Amino acid sequence: MSISKYRQSGVEVPYKTRREVRHTAHYVRDISKEKYGFAEACFPIVRLIETWGSMPEWKCPNYIVLEDDMLPTCSASFHPDMQTYFVRETVWDLAWDDDPESRETLAHETGHCVLKHPYVGLQRASLEFHNVVPETDSEHQANWFMCELLMDSRLITSTDTVGTLIDKFNVTEELARFRIFELMAERNKNRWNNTKI
């Protein structure tokens, strides 16, 4: 279990490894393909949230798009007690226009939703800038989920570059770079662990 400094931590949540979160993101992708026909590599996060919002009888999460000044402290948030996304109007519109950063924001909040995290809200201010265990931190887990939902590792090859990830998955350069680094580190670790001495 590693301890790391993280830009902004969330709240402590049940322990989940990166692999467990990855499998959860794969499940969401696979069920979205099977039930809703979302088969494209560039995951349609806005369409997923809209689809869920149109099916309250299935107890799917709903969403509310608010004027920006009605959500002054964040771009979007998921409130588990109401099973509802609250999204700034500009973020929602930009995500519909395929803005990578807005898509990442919604995928991150979907991570909180699917992983059943508690609402952080105003607690976050007092939780910033302290050491956290990534596997028990809500923000780390939501980021892992977001990366995997938007950039399915099953669709990434060893020859993919930052540019190909940006083109294939419509993500920001920062996230594509992080993903390449993350997968290379994981492959090197697996290679090292499989080496016999």
Side-chain angles (χ1 to χ4, degrees), residues 54-156:
S54 69
M55 300 185 303
E57 67 278 5
W58 288 10
K59 297 188 179 174
C60 291
N62 203 349
Y63 68 97
I64 297 174
V65 178
L66 299 168
E67 292 181 19
D68 289 7
D69 60 353
M70 294 180 70
L71 202 59
T73 60
C74 62
S75 301
S77 64
F78 180 75
H79 294 252
D81 53 331
M82 295 183 272
Q83 278 294 293
T84 302
Y85 291 85
F86 291 89
V87 185
R88 279 188 183 179
E89 186 175 22
T90 53
V91 171
W92 186 257
D93 291 345
L94 285 168
W96 259 119
D97 289 338
D98 290 328
D99 172 64
E101 190 173 338
S102 299
R103 295 179 69 252
E104 291 165 15
T105 296
L106 295 180
H108 174 91
E109 293 306 319
T110 300
H112 288 309
C113 169
V114 172
L115 297 169
K116 301 185 183 330
H117 290 161
Y119 178 60
V120 176
L122 296 175
Q123 300 171 42
R124 177 171 287 154
S126 64
L127 296 170
E128 289 186 64
F129 306 113
H130 73 286
N131 288 332
V132 296
V133 177
E135 293 83 358
T136 61
D137 180 69
S138 63
E139 290 301 302
H140 274 84
Q141 289 184 9
N143 281 337
W144 295 342
F145 180 92
M146 177 253 307
C147 280
E148 193 64 41
L149 186 69
L150 295 182
M151 293 178 286
D152 189 337
S153 58
R154 300 171 297 183
L155 303 176
I156 299 174

Side-chain angles (χ1 to χ4, degrees), residues 42 98-100 103-104 150 165-172:
C42 179
D98 290 328
D99 172 64
R103 295 179 69 252
E104 291 165 15
L150 295 182
L165 293 189
I166 290 170
D167 291 342
K168 188 188 295 187
F169 299 115
N170 188 26
V171 293
T172 59

Side-chain angles (χ1 to χ4, degrees), residues 45-61:
I45 186 64
V46 180
R47 285 174 43 213
L48 175 67
I49 293 170
E50 277 204 333
T51 301
W52 281 349
S54 69
M55 300 185 303
E57 67 278 5
W58 288 10
K59 297 188 179 174
C60 291

